[in-house]
Amino acid sequence: MEVNAVNLRDYTHDKRGTVDDKPYGGGAGMLMKVEPLFEAVEDLRKENTLVLMTSPSGEPFNQKMAHELAAKEHIMIICGHYEGVDERVREALVDREVSIGDYVLTSGNLPAMVMVDAVTRLLPGALGSPESEVDESFENGLLEYPQYTRPPVFRGMAVPEVLLSGNHAEIAKWRREQSEQRTAGRRPDLLNKKIEDLT
């Protein structure tokens, strides 16, 4: 895997390297200009490129999407800035708009980095063990169970006995129960979605 950052100013034709301008119709802020984005995408796009754009109004990024993106051969991410991007970019160039949460950031750089990190760890050889991702939060529709390591007792807080038992069936059962309890308490929406998916 290779990640390349592209400077949009390399696709401008004025001395200042202007990549933004005032929006038609007035209003606060600046919009990313259409010309440098078109030129950059047209220059860098391959036959199998998937073009994403970070945007608060995009579809929510989640683990399922990370798996979908990990299967793609070439991805390009347009990072929104300022007040946003000229709508013609969205209409003509973008395959999917993606949001990492219901909040607004100063630019799309951080969302792009979040997506790159989430996708990269799903690629073969990225993690020390292929099993590392299996029990992670969201992989099976649940949050991950609690984890413990040495020492077995610290300041009166003990590791659950079942984890020290060596009984793998009981450990698996405990972990599943803990995942379900944690999900019910912290993210009941995930349980509801899991039920909907089964019906």
Side-chain angles (χ1 to χ4, degrees), residues 169-196:
E170 286 299 312
I171 290 171
K173 180 183 173 191
W174 180 88
R175 286 176 169 170
R176 177 72 183 191
E177 289 170 351
Q178 291 297 310
S179 285
E180 290 172 353
Q181 289 174 21
R182 179 168 280 187
T183 306
R186 298 181 185 181
R187 291 290 306 274
D189 58 300
L190 294 176
L191 287 179
N192 293 337
K193 185 178 184 315
K194 198 173 170 91
I195 292 167
E196 287 171 12

Side-chain angles (χ1 to χ4, degrees), residues 31 81 85 109 147 186 199:
L31 281 181
H81 284 266
V85 177
N109 295 351
Q147 300 271 22
R186 298 181 185 181
T199 57

Side-chain angles (χ1 to χ4, degrees), residues 21 106 148 158 160 185 190:
D21 207 337
T106 54
Y148 297 88
L190 294 176

Side-chain angles (χ1 to χ4, degrees), residues 85-102:
V85 177
D86 187 296
E87 186 67 17
R88 290 166 289 189
V89 171
R90 184 189 329 266
E91 291 173 351
L93 300 177
V94 175
D95 297 310
R96 292 176 84 170
E97 283 182 80
V98 185
S99 169
I100 63 164
D102 295 341

Side-chain angles (χ1 to χ4, degrees), residues 6-174:
V6 175
N7 187 346
L8 274 183
R9 295 189 192 281
D10 295 340
Y11 292 91
T12 59
H13 303 285
D14 64 325
K15 289 182 180 179
R16 295 182 58 202
T18 306
V19 296
D20 63 331
D21 207 337
K22 294 176 182 176
Y24 282 125
M30 304 288 273
L31 281 181
M32 293 184 72
K33 288 172 61 67
V34 68
E35 303 100 316
L37 281 164
F38 262 76
E39 290 192 27
V41 171
E42 288 169 350
D43 180 44
L44 301 168
R45 180 183 241 158
K46 300 177 182 178
E47 188 178 329
N48 57 356
T49 300
L50 176 71
V51 180
L52 307 177
M53 184 169 76
T54 59
S55 167
S57 59
E59 59 183 299
F61 181 72
N62 56 28
Q63 194 67 12
K64 181 182 178 205
M65 189 189 297
H67 278 282
E68 292 170 10
L69 298 181
K72 300 297 181 184
E73 197 171 316
H74 187 242
I75 298 172
M76 190 182 306
I77 305 176
I78 298 173
C79 300
H81 284 266
Y82 318 119
E83 280 300 303
V85 177
D86 187 296
E87 186 67 17
R88 290 166 289 189
V89 171
R90 184 189 329 266
E91 291 173 351
L93 300 177
V94 175
D95 297 310
R96 292 176 84 170
E97 283 182 80
V98 185
S99 169
I100 63 164
D102 295 341
Y103 46 86
V104 179
L105 301 171
T106 54
S107 80
N109 295 351
L110 287 173
M113 287 188 277
V114 166
M115 290 190 288
V116 167
D117 186 83
V119 170
T120 299
R121 64 185 303 283
L122 296 175
L123 299 177
L127 301 176
S129 166
E131 296 175 9
S132 296
E133 71 176 78
V134 174
D135 289 330
E136 294 283 5
S137 291
F138 311 113
E139 283 297 335
N140 57 9
L142 299 171
L143 298 179
E144 189 175 9
Y145 48 78
Q147 300 271 22
Y148 297 88
T149 188
R150 293 177 178 84
V153 179
F154 177 73
R155 295 185 180 177
M157 295 178 285
V159 173
E161 284 295 325
V162 65
L163 297 179
L164 307 174
S165 69
N167 185 329
H168 297 295
E170 286 299 312
I171 290 171
K173 180 183 173 191
W174 180 88

